[in-house]
Amino acid sequence: MLTRSLIAGLALTFLSGSSFAATEITWWHAMGGELGKKLDEIVAKYNASQDEYKVTAVYKGSYPETMTAAIAAFRAKQQPDIVQVFEVGTGTMMAAKGAIYPVYQLMKDTGATFDPKAFLSAVVGYYTDADGNMLSMPFNSSTPILYYNKDVFKKAGLDPEQPPKTWEDVESYSKKIMSSGAAKCGFTTGWISWVQLENFSAWHNKPIGTLQNGIGGMDAELTVNGDLQVRHWTNLKKWQDEGLFQYGGPAGGNDAPPKFYSQECAIYMNSSASRAGVIANSKDFEVGFGMLPYYSDVQGAPQNSIIGGATLWVLKGHDEAEYKGVADFFSFLSSPEVQADWHQYSGYLPITEAAYKLGQEQGYYAKNPGSDVAIKQITLNPPTDNSKGLRFGNYVQIRDVIDEEFQNLLAGQKSPKDALDSVVTRGNKLIADFRAANG
């Protein structure tokens, strides 16, 4: 038989639990491994900082898998509050009319503290509409940089403190490295599409498509078969044939990192977010860091590189309390302390000027030479219509086309011009299909 005091205690417990239950917010993401653990740590820190909201982070697989899962969940009316979507999914998300709650509108509606000018322009430009309104919240933004083996440079008689600045340098250094026997290969790269076409074009202030690389509207078309892009792919094919360059595979180029870690290739181009992995796997030699190379005879180069990584999109269909929680969480995520910590741990860019300044004040860049190369590179010049980013429908599939045509080039099945012409023809067909489905 329950005593009166026990009944009162149970009632009090029930009432306090129901009165003060935290509002649940769900975040679907694509961060696995060590990055996923760090993300969980950030979420736990937020949840401990207040008791009004509880964020639950759920790993949903790769970037494409996460985006596909969110779209399917929205159709089934089981969508999360927040979903992490990689940069090339921006066009797809923007076209999902009625599904997206734009971040600028969310922050305004909830009265949250929000200053879009506090963010790095090269980061937010990718995720703003034609009027400059921020559509999603930047979280993990990266840009490709150049890594090199200082020990191999010394063996080859090169200055270990001087990374190659131009593609002419990359070629001459690679020849010297190989002829001296310091390494078997000059350079390799991850992400042919992202590094050697999209960023290559932006770095030289050349367009890859019409209408500001698609940012200006859905009627945009690809133009990646320009003279400079053809010249570069011609050189990559020549350098591959000569052994100076070794292809690292499609998409992220899973074969590229081991070529650098094993000291087979002396130079390696990949994401700034690869920094932690590069350092962890290069215990036997000293790593140097540099900006992407450029062709010295191209006017306007170097310009600025463009970002990769992902942003956080807010999905419609939830109540006002949840959206207030999302806005509060976004304010926490973009705070200087959280961003500086995430940036310094991961190698992703600090998304705000304040986070970068905090890192400087903490002495992080002085203690970790090369850790600010990506920031300097992406902010080298104010972004132009050619270097703000890109936004095309079906771009995930277009990147597959780029990989296929590059492999056709290396196999000798197509000339550089024919391969890039095929990218444009096949890519524009995919864009047209997307426009027809979402116009």
Side-chain angles (χ1 to χ4, degrees), residues 67-373:
M67 186 170 77
T68 301
I71 291 169
F74 187 85
R75 288 173 183 154
K77 297 185 178 178
Q78 296 177 333
Q79 67 271 29
D81 297 274
I82 307 165
V83 60
Q84 182 188 33
V85 178
F86 58 162
E87 87 283 13
V88 293
T90 302
T92 299
M93 297 302 287
M94 283 183 67
K97 297 182 180 76
I100 303 307
Y101 195 164
V103 162
Y104 78 93
Q105 195 68 52
L106 167 82
M107 303 305 263
K108 182 180 176 184
D109 291 347
T110 58
T113 304
F114 180 62
D115 179 13
K117 291 178 183 168
F119 295 82
L120 296 175
S121 61
V123 172
V124 296
Y126 209 114
Y127 304 108
T128 54
D129 62 18
D131 297 321
N133 296 311
M134 200 186 299
L135 303 170
S136 57
M137 177 61 74
F139 175 61
N140 57 305
S141 296
S142 57
T143 200
I145 62 170
L146 181 145
Y147 302 92
Y148 68 101
N149 185 322
K150 287 189 175 184
D151 293 13
V152 167
F153 271 45
K154 283 181 197 169
K155 288 176 192 170
L158 296 165
D159 184 345
E161 302 308 318
Q162 291 297 320
K165 290 183 177 178
T166 67
W167 279 107
E168 294 91 334
D169 288 342
V170 171
E171 181 176 33
S172 64
Y173 287 18
S174 295
K175 286 179 176 176
K176 197 164 186 181
I177 285 163
M178 291 176 66
S179 64
S180 68
K184 293 180 182 175
C185 131
F187 73 100
T188 187
T189 182
W191 291 105
I192 290 295
S193 54
W194 184 48
V195 183
Q196 304 300 343
L197 197 55
E198 296 155 29
N199 266 282
F200 171 82
S201 300
W203 195 224
H204 290 84
N205 199 19
K206 300 293 181 186
I208 67 162
T210 59
L211 296 176
Q212 302 171 56
N213 289 343
I215 290 174
M218 288 179 69
D219 291 333
E221 293 189 324
L222 294 176
T223 60
V224 291
N225 54 348
D227 291 344
L228 185 63
Q229 289 100 335
V230 171
R231 171 186 174 184
H232 188 52
W233 275 32
T234 299
N235 282 334
L236 289 173
K237 164 66 172 162
K238 176 173 77 86
W239 293 330
Q240 170 84 5
D241 291 347
E242 293 172 352
L244 303 182
F245 162 58
Q246 285 190 15
Y247 177 52
N254 291 334
D255 295 335
K259 292 178 186 295
F260 185 67
Y261 301 155
S262 67
Q263 305 195 60
E264 185 175 354
C265 295
I267 300 165
Y268 168 51
M269 284 164 249
N270 210 340
S271 173
S272 59
S274 302
R275 178 185 170 86
V278 167
I279 292 171
N281 287 281
S282 306
K283 303 292 187 188
D284 296 332
F285 62 93
E286 190 178 357
V287 179
F289 308 88
M291 293 190 189
L292 293 175
Y294 60 94
Y295 287 103
S296 60
D297 60 345
V298 175
Q299 194 172 356
Q303 168 54 41
N304 67 277
S305 59
I306 57 175
I307 59 171
T311 51
L312 308 182
W313 291 80
V314 183
L315 300 179
K316 286 187 175 178
H318 299 285
D319 62 34
E320 188 179 337
E322 287 178 53
Y323 288 130
K324 281 189 175 178
V326 171
D328 188 68
F329 181 53
F330 281 179
S331 295
F332 172 84
L333 277 184
S334 54
S335 66
E337 295 76 17
V338 172
Q339 269 303 310
D341 178 52
W342 170 247
H343 150 63
Q344 292 169 24
Y345 174 84
S346 66
Y348 283 110
L349 296 160
I351 61 171
T352 63
E353 293 283 357
Y356 181 31
K357 285 178 183 171
L358 179 59
Q360 290 173 316
E361 290 165 7
Q362 293 169 336
Y364 173 73
Y365 305 110
K367 293 174 199 163
N368 297 276
S371 56
D372 57 352
V373 164

Side-chain angles (χ1 to χ4, degrees), residues 38 40-50 332 338 341:
K38 184 65 176 178
D40 288 339
E41 180 188 306
I42 292 169
V43 169
K45 194 175 287 186
Y46 171 73
N47 288 337
S49 73
Q50 47 73 54
F332 172 84
V338 172
D341 178 52

